[in-house]
């Protein structure tokens, strides 16, 4: 029997049985609920994990953002930060001490009380002396933190090494910043990727890898209770299969859609949300000195970039559902400048330089499946670039892997060119541009080191919002464009489709779904 044609109730029971064996509570709860109690959301890729300190991918964040909360959060319709698990905060005149008053009466899903000790436990876990591999967001969120101090059960002071303009925005992000139950972290040896425990409106029930994650309403939630009892996050790799499932009513919400399926989605009578996305899809080059490949040479990088007709590629692959990226920053993020110009398309010059440098072949490492910044999928994009490179005399070998394997092999294997994207976590320029000032290759994929650029990013983080800070980021982007460790390609629109009986679906500007207020009529 096709998985798409198993009834929703049976799918839930099957998944819960895989995860928990004879879990009477889970199975009976699923069987006793009405269809309106279950919202089925489908995406292309499984989460990497559900510990917010140990992952950095959208699919993990999309689940975690409904399980966990941080001291700060975002308003529903923008990236303005507001207190969440904190009730208020005070910043010292020198910008070096943040004092947070915490919300009282909050419990984690395992019954552990939320307090200042829990916040400190989470911060200390990610400080440099304690951080472990794959805590890629630890430096971004807590890199400027010197220490934290519990003042009393519901007051914590965070002391900074230097002023940090983006710090409050960073505390609202879905990676590193969310507060995890200290009890769970101790129980599961500092890794809750498969045992997530937060304070959010939904709690974890089961994860059948490659199939679905099931969340259920946390009835002891401190705030407004979730409107829908269960959220089932299904993994359906093929875009066409997600559309069929949506049109048949087997799922309620479909993500990861591209221009090729939009007519079919519309004919199915679905509602389409189409908004400007805060993301960048990009190509990057290998600057790992230990591997010392041809793209260590700036002229080679720029020539390979010259070979790609980015405007033509974007129109061909994404049509009206993406815009050409001229810088790494989207146009509406403060710090964007139209004065920054990317490498211009010039195949004749590219061919001349590459022949002179003796570059006849390259290895391109890429992922399968759609990403929010690249809805057609990595392989399709890489094949298009492969075609452009062949026209300038360079043969490209594609190394294609599923998302999890791709992320690992980027760190271990040899490649010349890769493809990734970035979805802004908080609306601040530092959140985008810090990536290429980081030592962690999970963030700084090219492993590019440019001290002038790094100094500018540090200066920008310490400079108050305004024209002076924007000018700093303009200069940093000019260096990025000139040195060409990356080639920005596109900014995808945020596309999601859902059945007409779904109400109050919140797909936030940061690219995450918050299901707390969503209902199925």
């Amino acid at each position: 029997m096709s998985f798409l044609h198993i009834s929703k109730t049976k799918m839930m029971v099957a998944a819960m049985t895989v995860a928990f064996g004879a879990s009477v509570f889970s199975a009976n709860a699923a069987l006793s609920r009405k269809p309106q109690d279950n919202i089925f959301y489908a995406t292309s890729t499984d989460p990497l994990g559900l510990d917010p300190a140990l992952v950095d991918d959208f699919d993990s964040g999309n689940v975690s953002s409904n399980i966990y909360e941080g001291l700060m959060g975002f308003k529903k319709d923008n990236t303005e930060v507001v207190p969440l698990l904190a009730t208020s905060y005070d910043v010292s005149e020198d910008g070096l001490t943040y004092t947070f008053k915490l919300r009282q009466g909050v419990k984690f899903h395992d019954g552990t009380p939320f307090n200042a000790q829990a916040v400190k436990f989470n911060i200390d876990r990610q400080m440099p002396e304690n951080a472990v591999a794959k805590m890629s967001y630890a430096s971004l969120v807590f890199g400027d933190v010197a220490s934290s101090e519990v003042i009393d059960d519901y007051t914590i002071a965070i002391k900074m090494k230097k002023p940090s303009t983006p710090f409050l925005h960073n505390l609202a992000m879905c990676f590193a910043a969310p507060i995890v139950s200290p009890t769970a972290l101790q129980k599961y040896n500092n890794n809750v990727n498969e045992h997530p425990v937060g304070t959010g409106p939904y709690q974890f029930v089961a994860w059948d890898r490659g199939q679905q994650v099931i969340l259920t309403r946390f009835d002891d939630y401190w705030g407004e209770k979730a409107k829908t009892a269960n959220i089932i996050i299904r993994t359906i790799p093929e875009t066409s299969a997600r559309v069929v499932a949506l049109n048949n009513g087997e799922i309620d919400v479909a993500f990861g859609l591209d221009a090729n399926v939009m007519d079919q989605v519309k004919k199915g009578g679905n509602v389409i949300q189409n908004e400007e996305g805060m993301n960048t899809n990009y190509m990057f080059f290998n600057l790992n000195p230990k591997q010392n490949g041809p793209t260590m040479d700036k002229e080679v990088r720029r020539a390979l970039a010259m070979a790609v007709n980015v405007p033509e590629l974007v129109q061909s692959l994404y049509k009206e559902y993406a815009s050409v990226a001229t810088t790494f920053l989207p146009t509406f993020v403060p710090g964007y400048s139209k004065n920054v110009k990317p490498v211009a398309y010039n195949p004749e010059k590219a061919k001349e330089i590459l022949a002179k440098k003796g570059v006849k072949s390259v290895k391109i490492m890429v992922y399968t499946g759609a990403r929010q910044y690249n809805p057609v999928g990595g392989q399709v994009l890489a094949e298009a670039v492969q075609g452009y490179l062949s026209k300038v005399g360079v043969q490209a070998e594609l190394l294609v892997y599923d998302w999890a394997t791709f992320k690992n092999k980027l760190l271990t294997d040899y490649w010349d060119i890769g493809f990734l994207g970035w979805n802004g976590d908080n609306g601040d320029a530092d959140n985008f541009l810090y990536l290429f000032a980081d030592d962690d290759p999970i963030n700084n994929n090219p492993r590019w080191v440019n001290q002038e650029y790094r100094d500018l990013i540090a200066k920008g983080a310490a400079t108050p919002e305004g024209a002076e800070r924007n000018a700093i980021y303009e200069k940093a982007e000019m260096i990025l464009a000139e040195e060409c460790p990356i080639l920005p390609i596109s900014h995808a629109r945020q596309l999601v489709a859902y059945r007409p009986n779904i109400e109050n679906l919140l797909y936030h500007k940061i690219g995450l779904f918050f299901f707390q207020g969503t209902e199925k009529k």
Side-chain angles (χ1 to χ4, degrees):
M1 181 184 295
S2 168
F3 182 76
L4 289 175
H5 293 92
I6 301 175
S7 73
K8 294 177 182 176
T9 300
K10 289 181 179 178
M11 286 191 292
M12 288 184 67
V13 175
M16 290 175 175
T17 302
V18 168
F20 291 135
S23 174
V24 176
F25 165 76
S26 301
N28 287 346
L31 289 169
S32 66
R33 290 178 173 136
K34 302 174 295 184
Q36 288 78 10
D37 285 338
N38 309 311
I39 288 179
F40 288 79
Y41 159 89
T43 186
S44 66
T45 311
D46 231 23
L48 293 179
L50 300 178
D51 186 325
L54 295 173
V55 293
D56 63 354
D57 63 300
F58 161 79
D59 294 291
S60 300
N62 199 42
V63 180
S64 295
S65 61
N66 292 279
I67 296 172
Y68 299 102
E69 297 168 310
L71 297 182
M72 305 295 290
F74 297 111
K75 287 189 172 180
K76 289 184 177 181
D77 56 354
N78 57 47
T79 54
E80 182 180 343
V81 291
V82 293
L84 188 55
L85 286 179
T87 56
S88 64
Y89 62 89
D90 178 73
V91 185
S92 63
E93 287 189 11
D94 62 6
L96 295 178
T97 303
Y98 289 73
T99 303
F100 294 88
K101 293 291 185 180
L102 305 182
R103 196 173 296 281
Q104 300 186 29
V106 177
K107 289 185 178 181
F108 290 96
H109 303 150
D110 61 4
T112 302
F114 166 76
N115 52 31
Q117 289 82 2
V119 176
K120 180 174 175 56
F121 191 98
N122 277 262
I123 295 173
D124 288 352
R125 164 189 194 217
Q126 297 178 78
M127 295 295 282
E129 63 272 20
N130 299 321
V132 300
K134 296 198 174 180
M135 284 186 173
S136 59
Y137 266 71
S139 60
L140 178 60
V141 177
F142 300 114
D144 290 333
V145 172
S147 63
S148 59
E149 179 185 357
V150 173
I151 306 302
D152 59 45
D153 281 352
Y154 295 101
T155 309
I156 188 166
I158 300 177
K159 299 184 183 298
M160 311 297 288
K161 300 172 187 174
K162 58 185 179 181
S164 176
T165 297
F167 184 58
L168 289 174
H169 279 79
N170 290 342
L171 288 181
M173 299 193 308
C174 72
F175 302 119
I179 308 300
V180 182
S181 164
T183 303
L185 286 169
Q186 291 169 332
K187 180 178 179 180
Y188 295 108
N189 195 29
N190 197 35
N191 183 332
V192 294
N193 263 333
E194 296 184 355
H195 308 279
V197 182
T199 61
Y202 283 96
Q203 60 182 327
F204 176 75
V205 175
W207 182 4
D208 182 10
R209 283 191 176 273
Q211 300 296 327
Q212 58 195 5
V213 177
I214 300 172
L215 308 180
T216 195
R217 179 169 50 213
F218 180 44
D219 290 329
D220 290 330
Y221 182 60
W222 60 267
E224 183 178 350
K225 305 298 186 290
K227 298 293 186 183
T228 301
N230 299 311
I231 305 297
I232 302 92
I233 300 162
R234 287 184 53 195
T235 300
I236 304 178
E238 295 298 325
T239 302
S240 59
R242 290 194 299 280
V243 174
V244 170
L246 181 68
N247 288 347
N248 289 344
E250 295 169 357
I251 61 173
D252 303 298
V253 183
F255 180 75
L257 306 175
D258 62 63
N260 297 316
V261 299
M262 294 312 293
D263 286 344
Q264 189 179 353
V265 171
K266 292 173 184 176
K267 289 177 182 177
N270 302 293
V271 179
I272 298 172
Q273 184 174 327
N274 178 3
E275 298 179 0
E276 192 170 25
M278 189 168 61
N279 58 68
T280 304
N281 180 30
Y282 63 99
M283 182 170 84
F284 57 95
F285 301 102
N286 188 349
L287 279 79
N288 185 349
K290 294 181 180 179
Q291 296 181 337
N292 197 30
T295 53
M296 289 291 292
D297 186 332
K298 172 181 165 181
E299 284 190 82
V300 170
R301 296 195 300 273
R302 290 183 62 85
L304 291 169
M306 282 178 204
V308 182
N309 188 336
V310 173
E312 180 182 76
L313 180 151
V314 172
Q315 174 58 32
S316 173
L317 295 185
Y318 309 115
K319 299 183 171 57
E320 70 269 29
Y321 298 109
S323 58
V324 174
T326 57
T327 76
F328 196 64
L329 288 179
T331 58
F332 55 84
V333 173
Y336 163 83
S337 173
K338 63 182 179 182
N339 296 326
V340 178
K341 305 296 182 186
V343 175
Y345 177 57
N346 190 334
E348 293 80 13
K349 187 175 181 181
K351 188 172 185 177
E352 176 186 337
I353 294 172
L354 293 167
K356 179 182 175 182
K357 295 287 184 176
V359 178
K360 298 179 180 180
S361 63
V362 293
K363 293 180 182 292
I364 297 179
M365 187 174 288
V366 71
Y367 55 89
T368 57
R371 309 301 298 169
Q372 63 188 133
Y373 45 77
N374 177 20
V376 301
Q379 184 170 352
V380 173
L381 174 58
E383 287 171 350
V385 170
Q386 182 184 44
Y388 284 117
L389 294 181
S390 69
K391 294 177 182 178
V392 297
V394 175
Q395 299 304 308
E397 177 187 357
L398 301 190
L399 310 172
V400 184
Y401 303 102
D402 66 84
W403 179 249
T405 304
F406 166 74
K407 292 282 284 182
N408 286 326
K409 284 186 173 290
L410 276 179
L411 303 175
T412 60
D413 290 13
Y414 179 85
W415 47 269
D416 298 299
I417 295 173
F419 291 90
L420 267 172
W422 185 257
N423 197 88
D425 299 288
N426 61 23
D428 192 88
D430 180 78
N431 179 247
F432 280 83
L433 299 179
Y434 176 83
L435 295 181
F436 308 113
D438 197 358
D439 288 328
D440 190 339
I442 295 177
N443 291 330
N444 186 355
N445 321 115
R447 307 190 191 207
W448 179 55
V449 178
N450 182 289
Q451 195 56 51
E452 183 182 6
Y453 178 89
R454 291 185 174 207
D455 290 344
L456 286 167
I457 298 307
K459 185 177 179 181
T463 302
E465 293 178 352
E468 182 183 355
R469 189 171 191 244
N470 292 344
I472 292 169
Y473 289 131
E474 178 187 61
K475 189 173 181 180
E477 282 257 66
M478 286 182 171
I479 295 171
L480 192 64
E482 172 62 28
E483 294 297 317
C484 199
I486 68 165
L487 177 66
I489 294 174
S490 59
H491 304 299
R493 296 190 67 80
Q494 292 192 151
L495 285 176
V496 59
Y498 53 93
R499 300 301 299 163
N501 61 331
I502 297 297
E503 296 184 357
N504 302 316
L505 179 68
L506 177 56
Y507 182 30
H508 198 273
K509 194 74 173 175
I510 59 173
L512 297 175
F513 289 88
F514 294 88
F515 291 107
Q516 181 179 3
T518 307
E519 296 181 83
K520 183 194 287 190
K521 297 296 185 179

